[in-house]
């Protein structure tokens, strides 16, 4: 009996152990199959992705009747970050197949990949595939448009590796499908705010931006995710990595294996970049060629000067302690360079894209009536560019222009193989569109054309700093006047590879001819409160023939004051700066008793001799609650510009100024354009205190001056309205180019 009980106990114990093991196994299987509640973090995302193979292609199906274009996004994957910053090349071979599996089109697209930057802006820093961390490159893309997809219903993708550092390439494929514009469920404004923000910020990247159909009819074109055939367990809802991989499109064909970060320099192609105080710059020259570096003052106070950079141990040229300005680089023979700020960040590059027009390929744009356009072209000499103004495809106006074709020293053409070629300078015509014009057509044979548009009432915002504002600083972001417009037949140019990229570099400022003359505007009749301020003289380096004026002063010592008769004669009056009030005053020399005031005198200024460093300027007080309206010029003369100097009695981080020009604009095309509505944000420097004659305030803080050009597209300007965010003191100066203009710069000021 004992052995029977023992056996029963053993059997029961074994059964319980087996049941516990089975239950534990089920829990383990359940945990392994469960989806994580949060698959994404800032640094990694766990997911399955679609890898391209070199032998068996991935196949994606789409509806040929509803698909407008197919977008292929790809990311290069590395075992670890490459040791240097050199791009890694790869290519994607794609084939379009019809319903019978017949080949419709075959192509190869080349990419250059770099590892995604390790900063907070990137959504992902690494890819985890089978618990192995892999480095991810910045995204690349190419598009197949409607013309290529007409006969096809499938696309196959295959990888062509070109660099052993590359572990592989993952892809994402979208099909752009159209929706009925009459479907109220698809109306743009009925979409959630978060959805519209995502569409605006994500799906407008690259060439397939929000289309005219979306903008004008308030509908959308959906981007549908496509899954590859024969790949199981695809779940886009759970696969967060599909939308989270970096997407930083270069959008160039790298079939020639060239690096777009290289900057080409030759006799016919110079380059330039802005420099800012407190930053160091390095120039890396691969061929070790003899480069000529020159610094230019964008304000033209100092003359251009040649730079002699130091050579670092790594063989790079280093530029440091440069004042704010522009540096140009030239070479006697073709060479490639790279320029870095603080030895880390490549200098920002600017590109512009043009449509290549042929005799049988015009470009069409939808435009807004009463808007203003800027037509920009680059073409051989003598090429005729014809602009047609249309109302519902009916011609209502026509203009023809001939290209001058001066060669540009700074811009260069970037071909499909990334080769850099010389190009002509841009030529522009500005035009205010008539009320009925809603479409324009541009025709030319062998010309590059682009169009920019703006609303006449649109506000242009610019920051002005003591020297030059750094555009990379987010605190100084402004609003540009013009915005490039996408052509209505953009896909046709894209499919025929008739879109050209032009890399732009800033040219140094030219010396104006003739030199302007200046006249201070008398504001006594509208601003009764005025006073005098002494400001530093900043003369342009090329303006050397200007004689000293009676209102320009220099500092002089007490002992030197009475020894001037033999050379320049005694001054009629002296400006005295003293510690007691009034801290600044002007008086005739014969009435001054400098011996009695010697203990309180800080400085003496006279308007005799040279060099004269200070200029006496009359300033007028303007209340922020009282906008100012000024008459411009007179019946006989029109100024070429209006300059506004702004001062305040105390330091402010910024002063905002709004300017509105009331004038009549010409209705014909013009080579120049005057912006009538402007907003300025003025930032003062640390050394901006100016001597003030006012007994209540001994100093004024000076802000950067505002120059408002009046070009030849303005006919008879009437008034200029000014409003300020703070109480300020101002001086208004008009610039004239008329050589015989009778100017009264200082209004016979004698006190």
């Amino acid at each position: 009996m004992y052995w029977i009980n023992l056996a029963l106990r053993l059997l029961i114990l074994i059964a319980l152990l087996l049941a516990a093991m089975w239950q534990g196994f089920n829990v383990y299987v359940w945990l392994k199959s469960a989806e994580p509640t949060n698959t994404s973090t800032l640094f990694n995302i766990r997911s399955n992705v679609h890898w391209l193979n070199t032998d068996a292609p991935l196949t994606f199906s789409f509806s040929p009747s509803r698909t407008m274009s197919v977008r292929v996004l790809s990311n290069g994957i590395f075992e670890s970050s490459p040791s240097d910053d050199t791009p890694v090349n790869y290519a994607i071979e794609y084939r379009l197949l019809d319903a019978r599996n017949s080949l419709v089109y075959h192509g190869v697209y080349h990419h250059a990949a770099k590892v995604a930057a390790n900063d907070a802006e990137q959504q992902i820093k690494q890819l985890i595939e089978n618990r192995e961390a892999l480095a991810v490159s910045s995204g690349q893309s190419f598009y197949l448009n409607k013309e290529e997809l007409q006969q096809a219903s499938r696309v196959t993708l295959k990888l062509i590796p070109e660099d052993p550092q590359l572990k592989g390439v993952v892809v994402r494929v979208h099909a752009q499908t159209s929706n009925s514009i009459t479907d109220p469920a698809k109306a743009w404004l009925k979409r959630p705010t978060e959805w519209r923000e995502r569409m605006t910020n994500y799906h407008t990247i690259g060439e397939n931006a929000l289309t005219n159909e979306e903008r004008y009819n308030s509908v959308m074109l959906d981007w549908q995710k496509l899954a590859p055939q024969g790949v199981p367990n695809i779940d886009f809802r759970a696969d967060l990595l599909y939308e989270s991989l970096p997407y930083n499109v270069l959008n160039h064909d790298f079939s020639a294996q060239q690096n777009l970060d290289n900057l080409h320099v030759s006799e016919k192609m110079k380059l330039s970049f802005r420099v800012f105080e407190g930053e160091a710059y390095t120039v890396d020259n691969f061929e070790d060629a003899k480069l000529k570096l020159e610094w230019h003052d964008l304000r033209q106070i100092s003359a251009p000067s040649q730079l002699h950079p130091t050579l670092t141990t790594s063989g790079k040229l280093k530029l440091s302690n440069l004042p704010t300005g522009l540096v140009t680089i030239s070479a006697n023979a073709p060479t490639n360079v790279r320029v870095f700020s603080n030895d880390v960040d490549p200098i920002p590059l600017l590109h512009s894209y043009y449509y290549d027009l042929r005799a049988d390929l015009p470009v069409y744009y939808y435009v807004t009536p009463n808007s203003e356009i800027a037509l920009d072209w680059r073409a051989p000499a003598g090429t005729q560019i014809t602009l047609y103004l249309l109302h519902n495809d009916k011609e209502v106006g026509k203009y023809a222009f001939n290209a001058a074709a001066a060669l540009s020293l700074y811009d260069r053409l970037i071909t499909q193989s990334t080769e850099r070629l010389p190009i002509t300078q841009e030529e522009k015509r500005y035009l205010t569109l008539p009320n009925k014009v809603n479409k324009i057509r541009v025709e030319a044979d062998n010309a590059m054309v682009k169009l920019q548009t703006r609303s006449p009432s649109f506000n242009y915002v610019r920051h002005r700093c003591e020297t030059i504002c750094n555009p990379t600083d987010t605190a100084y972001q402004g609003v540009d006047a013009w915005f490039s417009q996408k052509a209505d037949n953009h896909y046709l140019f894209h499919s025929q590879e008739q879109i050209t990229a032009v890399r732009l570099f800033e040219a140094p400022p030219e010396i104006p001819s003739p030199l302007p003359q200046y006249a201070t505007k008398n504001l006594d009749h509208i601003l009764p409160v005025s006073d005098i301020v002494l400001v530093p003289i900043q003369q342009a380096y090329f303006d050397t023939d200007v004689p000293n004026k009676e209102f320009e002063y220099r500092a002089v010592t007490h002992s030197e004051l009475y020894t001037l008769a033999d050379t320049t004669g005694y001054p009629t009056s002296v400006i005295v700066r003293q510690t007691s009030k009034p801290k600044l005053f002007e008086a005739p020399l014969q009435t001054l008793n400098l011996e009695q005031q010697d203990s309180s005198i800080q400085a003496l200024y006279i308007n005799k001799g040279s060099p004269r460093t200070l200029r006496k300027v009359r300033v007028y007080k303007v209340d922020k609650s009282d906008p100012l309206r000024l008459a411009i010029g007179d019946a006989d003369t029109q100024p070429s510009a209006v300059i506004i100097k702004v001062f305040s009695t105390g330091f402010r981080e910024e002063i905002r100024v709004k300017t509105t020009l009331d004038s009549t604009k010409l209705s014909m095309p013009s080579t120049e354009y005057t912006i009538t509505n402007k907003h300025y944000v003025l930032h003062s420097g640390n050394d901006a205190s100016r001597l003030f004659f006012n007994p209540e305030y001994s100093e004024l803080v000076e802000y950067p001056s505002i120059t408002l050009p009046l070009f030849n597209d303005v006919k008879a300007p009437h008034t200029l309205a000014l409003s300020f965010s703070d109480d300020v003191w101002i001086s208004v100066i008009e610039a004239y180019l008329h050589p015989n203009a009778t100017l009264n710069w200082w209004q016979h000021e004698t006190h």
Side-chain angles (χ1 to χ4, degrees):
M1 192 66 181
Y2 170 77
W3 293 108
I4 294 175
N5 290 335
L6 182 60
L8 288 174
R9 289 193 188 97
L10 289 174
L11 287 174
I12 293 173
L13 182 60
I14 292 172
L16 291 174
L17 288 174
L18 289 174
M21 292 175 61
W22 177 253
Q23 187 65 27
F25 177 75
N26 287 335
V27 170
Y28 172 77
V29 171
W30 176 75
L31 289 175
K32 288 289 292 182
S33 63
E35 294 184 358
T37 58
N38 182 13
T39 59
S40 174
T41 70
L42 181 62
F43 297 102
N44 61 74
I45 294 179
R46 298 176 182 270
S47 174
N48 294 319
V49 290
H50 311 318
W51 290 79
L52 285 182
N53 296 321
T54 57
D55 48 2
L58 288 179
T59 302
F60 299 83
S61 297
F62 54 86
S63 171
S65 61
R66 297 183 63 242
T67 301
M68 305 297 294
S69 64
V70 171
R71 177 176 61 185
V72 180
L73 298 145
S74 64
N75 293 83
I77 308 299
F78 306 91
E79 293 280 2
S80 59
S81 299
S83 57
D84 55 15
D85 200 33
T86 304
V88 174
N89 297 280
Y90 65 90
I92 296 177
E93 178 189 50
Y94 62 97
R95 296 173 182 267
L96 293 174
L97 308 175
D98 60 14
R100 295 187 297 272
N101 210 31
S102 299
L103 180 65
V104 175
Y105 187 86
H106 170 257
V108 176
Y109 207 93
H110 295 260
H111 291 301
K114 284 186 177 181
V115 172
N118 188 21
D119 54 44
E121 294 180 359
Q122 291 291 353
Q123 296 177 352
I124 180 173
K125 304 302 182 297
Q126 64 183 11
L127 168 77
I128 296 182
E129 182 76 13
N130 296 327
R131 300 175 182 266
E132 180 183 4
L134 305 173
V136 180
S137 78
S138 58
Q140 313 292 317
S141 75
F142 65 91
Y143 296 87
L144 309 173
N145 60 34
K146 183 70 173 178
E147 286 72 19
E148 294 174 319
L149 302 175
Q150 286 179 348
Q151 307 299 325
S153 59
R154 289 187 295 165
V155 59
T156 66
L157 305 175
K158 189 169 67 171
L159 174 64
I160 303 177
E162 299 175 353
D163 194 300
Q165 295 185 82
L166 193 71
K167 176 181 177 63
V169 171
V170 297
V171 294
R172 296 165 283 169
V173 181
H174 296 95
Q176 189 184 44
T177 57
S178 60
N179 295 300
S180 171
I181 63 175
T182 61
D183 184 358
K186 299 298 183 182
W188 177 273
L189 296 179
K190 290 188 177 182
R191 291 285 173 173
T193 303
E194 295 80 5
W195 186 94
R196 277 182 282 152
E197 184 179 1
R198 175 176 173 76
M199 282 291 293
T200 303
N201 294 336
Y202 177 78
H203 286 304
T204 58
I205 300 176
E207 293 197 18
N208 285 27
L210 292 176
T211 64
N212 289 329
E213 185 181 14
E214 292 174 88
R215 285 193 291 264
Y216 290 102
N217 298 295
S218 295
V219 297
M220 69 172 186
L221 296 178
D222 279 332
W223 284 100
Q224 304 289 344
K225 305 181 184 73
L226 298 183
Q229 297 179 2
V231 178
N233 301 326
I234 293 177
D235 182 2
F236 287 126
R237 179 180 295 275
D239 195 355
L240 299 180
L241 182 62
Y242 192 91
E243 298 293 353
S244 301
L245 285 170
Y247 181 25
N248 182 21
V249 178
L250 293 176
N251 205 18
H252 286 284
D253 188 343
F254 286 85
S255 56
Q257 308 282 328
Q258 295 190 23
N259 184 1
L260 274 186
D261 289 335
N262 292 346
L263 307 179
H264 188 72
V265 187
S266 67
E267 288 182 302
K268 296 182 179 180
M269 284 183 281
K270 300 181 180 181
L271 65 88
S272 66
F273 59 96
R274 289 197 176 192
V275 295
F276 300 94
E277 293 181 357
E279 294 189 11
Y281 299 84
T282 54
V283 180
D284 190 359
N285 181 223
F286 306 101
E287 290 83 13
D288 195 21
K290 292 184 178 180
L291 304 176
K292 180 182 178 182
L293 287 80
E294 198 170 36
W295 176 84
H296 299 263
D297 183 3
L298 294 175
R299 300 178 301 161
Q300 296 184 292
I301 304 300
S302 302
S305 59
Q306 189 168 348
L307 299 176
H308 302 283
T310 58
L311 188 65
T312 65
T313 55
S314 58
K316 298 180 181 180
L317 302 177
K318 185 173 183 179
L319 300 169
S320 56
N321 300 322
L322 288 179
T324 300
L326 186 76
V327 171
T328 61
I329 302 179
S330 59
N332 294 329
T335 185
N336 289 319
V337 302
R338 297 180 70 185
V339 183
F340 297 89
S341 171
N342 295 323
D343 207 22
V344 176
D345 302 317
I347 60 170
L349 301 176
L350 182 63
H351 294 83
S352 186
Y353 294 89
Y354 289 79
Y355 295 108
D356 295 334
L357 271 60
R358 304 190 306 259
D360 60 340
L361 185 58
V363 63
Y364 293 87
Y365 294 94
Y366 280 114
V367 292
T368 304
N370 291 325
S371 64
E372 294 176 340
I373 64 171
L375 181 65
D376 185 341
W377 69 81
R378 300 174 190 260
T383 302
Q384 187 176 77
I385 295 92
T386 307
L387 172 66
Y388 295 90
L389 307 181
L390 308 175
H391 172 62
N392 296 334
D393 292 325
K394 181 181 179 181
E395 183 180 327
V396 296
K398 173 184 175 182
Y399 299 101
F401 316 107
N402 292 320
L407 192 65
S408 174
L409 283 176
Y410 289 91
D411 301 339
R412 68 280 315 272
L413 177 72
I414 299 181
T415 66
Q416 288 292 329
S417 61
T418 70
E419 182 182 6
R420 281 69 158 180
L421 298 175
I423 194 172
T424 58
Q425 292 180 4
E426 68 173 11
E427 299 177 63
K428 280 189 177 181
R429 293 295 186 275
Y430 301 94
L431 178 65
T432 300
L433 296 176
N435 183 37
K436 292 185 178 181
V437 173
N438 57 8
K439 191 176 183 180
I440 66 174
R441 181 176 78 250
V442 185
E443 293 182 356
D445 188 6
N446 188 24
M448 300 164 51
V449 170
K450 75 174 181 181
L451 185 78
Q452 294 174 300
T453 60
R454 77 183 305 268
S455 168
S457 60
F458 187 75
N459 280 315
Y460 160 95
V461 179
R462 269 293 172 265
H463 291 261
R464 298 275 289 122
C465 303
E466 183 183 14
T467 53
I468 302 293
C469 295
N470 190 339
T472 61
D473 192 332
T474 56
Y476 301 133
Q477 295 300 307
V479 178
D480 291 330
W482 297 94
F483 295 90
S484 294
Q485 186 155 332
K486 183 179 176 182
D488 182 47
N489 55 342
H490 171 86
Y491 284 142
L492 183 58
F493 282 92
H494 177 69
S495 63
Q496 298 188 20
E497 297 184 347
Q498 292 295 112
I499 300 178
T500 301
V502 177
R503 178 169 284 172
L504 309 177
F505 290 99
E506 184 178 4
E510 298 180 351
I511 297 177
S513 179
L515 297 181
Q517 303 178 59
Y518 301 98
T520 298
K521 199 165 185 63
N522 188 351
L523 306 179
D524 288 339
H525 59 292
I526 54 177
L527 293 173
V529 180
S530 66
D531 218 317
I532 298 172
V533 63
L534 292 181
V535 300
I537 295 177
Q538 292 185 323
Q539 202 75 33
Y541 72 91
F542 48 78
D543 194 3
T544 57
D545 298 330
V546 179
N548 291 325
K549 303 292 194 307
E550 63 178 7
F551 45 81
E552 294 177 346
Y553 294 79
R554 69 182 180 95
V556 66
T557 63
H558 183 281
S559 59
E560 184 186 359
L561 185 60
Y562 292 99
T563 61
L564 299 174
D566 297 335
T567 56
T568 61
Y570 290 120
T572 57
S573 64
V574 179
I575 296 177
V576 180
R577 183 184 178 188
Q578 60 184 7
T579 55
S580 58
K581 289 187 178 182
K583 294 190 175 182
L584 199 69
F585 68 93
E586 184 175 8
L589 179 61
Q590 59 269 23
T591 65
L592 286 176
N593 190 341
L594 298 179
E595 299 297 337
Q596 294 180 357
Q597 298 175 323
D598 186 59
S599 60
S600 63
I601 291 177
Q602 292 179 308
L604 300 171
Y605 306 96
I606 61 172
N607 57 353
K608 294 289 184 180
S610 62
R612 303 192 189 181
T613 59
L614 295 173
R615 178 175 291 142
K616 184 168 63 173
V617 175
R618 178 162 291 281
V619 292
Y620 297 85
K621 186 177 181 181
V622 182
D623 295 332
K624 65 179 180 179
S625 59
D626 189 13
L628 181 64
R629 187 173 295 274
L630 307 174
I632 301 298
D634 53 44
D636 299 324
T637 58
Q638 173 181 314
S640 62
V642 177
I643 300 136
I644 300 127
K645 293 181 175 291
V646 180
F647 305 84
S648 69
T649 55
F651 180 80
R652 294 169 177 82
E653 289 292 336
E654 62 182 37
I655 291 180
R656 295 181 175 268
V657 184
K658 179 182 179 181
T659 69
T660 305
L661 181 67
D662 179 16
S663 64
T664 302
K665 282 202 148 191
L666 299 177
S667 58
M668 300 294 290
S670 172
T671 57
E672 296 177 319
Y673 180 83
T674 303
I675 302 175
T676 56
N677 297 338
K678 292 187 176 183
H679 282 183
Y680 285 94
V681 184
L682 308 183
H683 305 269
S684 181
N686 296 325
D687 185 22
S689 296
R690 307 295 178 237
L691 300 178
F692 194 27
F693 278 77
N694 191 291
E696 184 177 354
Y697 303 99
S698 60
E699 292 181 337
L700 282 182
V701 177
E702 183 178 6
Y703 290 80
S705 60
I706 298 171
T707 299
L708 303 174
L710 303 176
F711 293 120
N712 58 16
D713 63 323
V714 172
K715 181 181 179 182
H718 306 304
T719 60
L720 175 65
L722 301 173
S723 60
F724 302 89
S725 62
D726 299 86
D727 295 341
V728 295
W729 294 75
I730 68 168
S731 174
V732 179
I733 301 170
E734 292 179 341
Y736 290 89
L737 298 178
H738 197 286
N740 298 321
T742 301
L743 304 177
N744 182 17
W745 204 93
W746 189 243
Q747 308 162 28
H748 300 295
E749 183 67 52
T750 58
H751 60 278

